[in-house]
Every structure is written in C-alpha cells, then in structure tokens.
Amino acid sequence: MMDSLLLQNAHLRMRVNPQGGGLQELFSLVCGQPVLWDGGDSALFPMLPLANRVAGNRFAFQGREIALPQSPVDERFFLHGDGWQSRWQVASHSDTTCILTLRSRHRCGFDYQAELRYQLREHVLHAELMLTHLGQAPMLYGLGFHPWFCFDARSRLHFSASGYWPEGEHHLPLAWQSDIPADIDFSTPRHGGDRWLNVGYSGWNGAARIERDVMSITITAQTPWLMLFRMSDKPFLCLEPQSHPVNAHNMAGQPGLVALGQGERSHFAMAIAVESAVQSC
C-alpha cells in the first residue's frame, strides 16, 4: 500500500500497514526469502480486545451479560476483535521501529487506548501490544498476534504442549484433552501433512520453531496458549500466541483473560527470530 511503513536493517525488511496495524511483509535479506506469507490481506495482525472467537458472541462478567459487537468479516463472531479491522495512527516511525496507536469504544464495555510497537533488532522482530482500559466500568480483555508463516512440503514445525482442544462446530473448541494425537503432536520436528488444522494448545512452553530449507524461524511469547491454523493446498502455517484460550470467556475461571479497571493496562509481546539454516545464506 502507498502509506505502508518500511522498516529495515541488515537482516530483515518489513512493511507495516496502518490499516489493521499489521504487516504486509517480513523478508529475510540474509536468506533472500520471505518469512511471512501475505495472501493479500495481511501477513501478521494484532488481536485485541480479544483473540479468536467467543461462543454465542456473548459472555457473563461481574453479573452482566456482555453481547459482543458484530464483525464486518464474520456473521457469528466478533472475530479477533476490532484492532485488525481498524485504522491505526502512526505515533512514530524510524528505520527500525514504529509505534501505532488506536482508540476504540463499544457499547458492550470495550473502551480502550492501544499502543502497538514493531521493532527490528538484528535478526529479530519484536512485536508488543499495550492496552489501557478507559471505561468507568471494568471490562475483560485478551490480546494476541496472528502471523502467517511461509510453510511448504520441506518445512518442519517443532513445539511442546501438554494438551489441546479439538475443533468443534463453527471453529469453537470441544472439551480439553491431555493426550495429543500423533498427527497434531509437534514435540518432534515434523511437517504434519497438507490438511486443515485449527487446534488450540495449552501448556505451550513459549517457543516454537519452523525449519525451512534455508532458514530457521523461532517464535517466542510468554503465554501457555498457542493456536495452530493451516489449510490444505496453501503455502502457509499460522502460529498464534494469545493471552487466553479460544472461548475462555465462557470457561470456568475465564483463564488468561484480564479484568481491567479504568486506567489499568494489559501487555502482550511476541518475538520472531530468523536465522540462516545453511552456510549459503
């Protein structure tokens, strides 16, 4: 896009789109290949004030029933919140860092100011979200990032987890299970097959690695919840660190979600490290 922001150092090049606050590109200059896959919408976007989906598009909080807003892209759910559908303001921009801000308010109680920072430090992209609640009544918040990684038949994925939620109707999770089936267990590096996957993992150790022919990509975040999404016949794989599991709003204890009073903040960060896997890079 004409108004995208270019960030670059000796290792990585990236383009940030203020519309949606996401990336249009993350490219390894060392290996001469893209890190992220852009199918025309976004190669990475922020998830706020919640991640993924909430059953019935509503939940109970402090004696109130919260009916979530309608989404312009999903008829059933306030999908991934509104940050990725909103126009962010550019607060600052340098060769290697940019800061975007967003003011958002909804009748359901979401009333927040968000700050989104992208920074390149050598071979690592650092992404950070800071959300401040401005409403008088407390509200429940969740955050996350949704990157789309290039992933082909030669790629391998590796991460550890202690359990998972199988996918049910309308992409909502079924009951949690501790025994991860072999075909979705990535505790040893594997490709995992060319098929639809939309799986939420718990007990994630906070690091995941993608091995490609010329590069190694490591994703880190301080959260035990990770979503994996892929589609058959598509050259991508999404690994989505998020502060809470899918439909946490309707789970006992609302795990990972944070109740914020007026002026209180929530923070979420992710890093993507890109290193050469062969000497020719």
Side-chain angles (χ1 to χ4, degrees):
M1 280 199 168
M2 294 295 292
D3 62 352
S4 65
L5 309 176
L6 175 65
L7 281 68
Q8 182 171 315
N9 62 14
H11 301 267
L12 297 169
R13 180 180 72 232
M14 60 184 285
R15 296 184 186 275
V16 181
N17 189 355
Q19 177 57 45
L23 303 190
Q24 293 299 126
E25 176 188 42
L26 181 62
F27 189 88
S28 171
L29 298 171
V30 177
C31 295
Q33 290 193 13
V35 178
L36 297 178
W37 180 83
D38 178 13
D41 295 321
S42 180
L44 181 156
F45 60 80
M47 296 186 287
L48 70 159
L50 56 82
N52 219 283
R53 297 166 174 84
V54 178
N57 213 36
R58 61 185 60 238
F59 64 95
F61 175 61
Q62 295 188 349
R64 296 177 283 155
E65 182 180 62
I66 308 296
L68 293 171
Q70 296 297 308
S71 169
V73 296
D74 193 292
E75 63 181 5
R76 290 189 176 92
F77 304 105
F78 187 45
L79 181 64
H80 303 313
D82 64 348
W84 68 303
Q85 296 293 317
S86 302
R87 180 78 182 186
W88 294 67
Q89 301 300 310
V90 180
S92 65
H93 174 214
S94 69
D95 290 344
T96 59
T97 304
C98 71
I99 298 175
L100 308 179
T101 61
L102 176 65
R103 178 72 175 94
S104 182
R105 185 177 185 180
H106 295 274
R107 290 182 181 179
C108 68
F110 288 130
D111 187 353
Y112 68 87
Q113 177 81 23
E115 180 179 291
L116 174 59
R117 178 192 295 264
Y118 294 114
Q119 184 176 39
L120 297 178
R121 299 182 206 160
E122 297 184 339
H123 64 286
V124 183
L125 163 62
H126 294 269
E128 293 183 82
L129 267 174
M130 179 74 76
L131 182 149
T132 304
H133 178 59
L134 301 179
Q136 292 186 352
M139 189 54 174
L140 205 58
Y141 287 94
L143 304 172
F145 286 102
H146 194 307
W148 305 68
F149 294 96
C150 296
F151 197 84
D152 60 22
R154 297 172 295 176
S155 304
R156 297 292 181 269
L157 172 64
H158 182 204
F159 67 87
S160 297
S162 61
Y164 81 110
W165 289 270
E167 181 184 22
E169 188 178 13
H170 304 314
H171 310 300
L172 291 167
L174 298 174
W176 181 85
Q177 299 184 27
S178 60
D179 295 327
I180 301 175
D183 62 336
I184 58 169
D185 183 356
F186 294 90
S187 57
T188 58
R190 58 196 305 270
H191 178 261
D194 182 14
R195 64 189 184 90
W196 175 277
L197 286 177
N198 192 29
V199 183
Y201 293 88
S202 68
W204 179 44
N205 64 0
R209 182 180 294 268
I210 294 174
E211 299 287 351
R212 287 168 50 188
D213 53 349
V214 298
M215 71 175 71
S216 174
I217 303 163
T218 303
I219 306 97
T220 54
Q222 291 185 327
T223 178
W225 293 290
L226 180 71
M227 281 297 299
L228 187 159
F229 172 63
R230 70 189 300 180
M231 298 173 65
S232 179
D233 298 322
K234 297 291 185 180
F236 72 80
L237 181 145
C238 296
L239 292 173
E240 310 161 38
Q242 49 192 58
S243 64
H244 59 90
V246 178
N247 198 33
H249 300 73
N250 291 302
M251 293 180 179
Q254 297 175 318
L257 295 165
V258 179
L260 298 181
Q262 190 172 41
E264 294 182 329
R265 297 180 175 182
S266 183
H267 174 265
F268 192 82
M270 175 189 69
I272 299 175
V274 183
E275 299 176 285
S276 67
V278 294
Q279 292 183 354
S280 59
C281 278

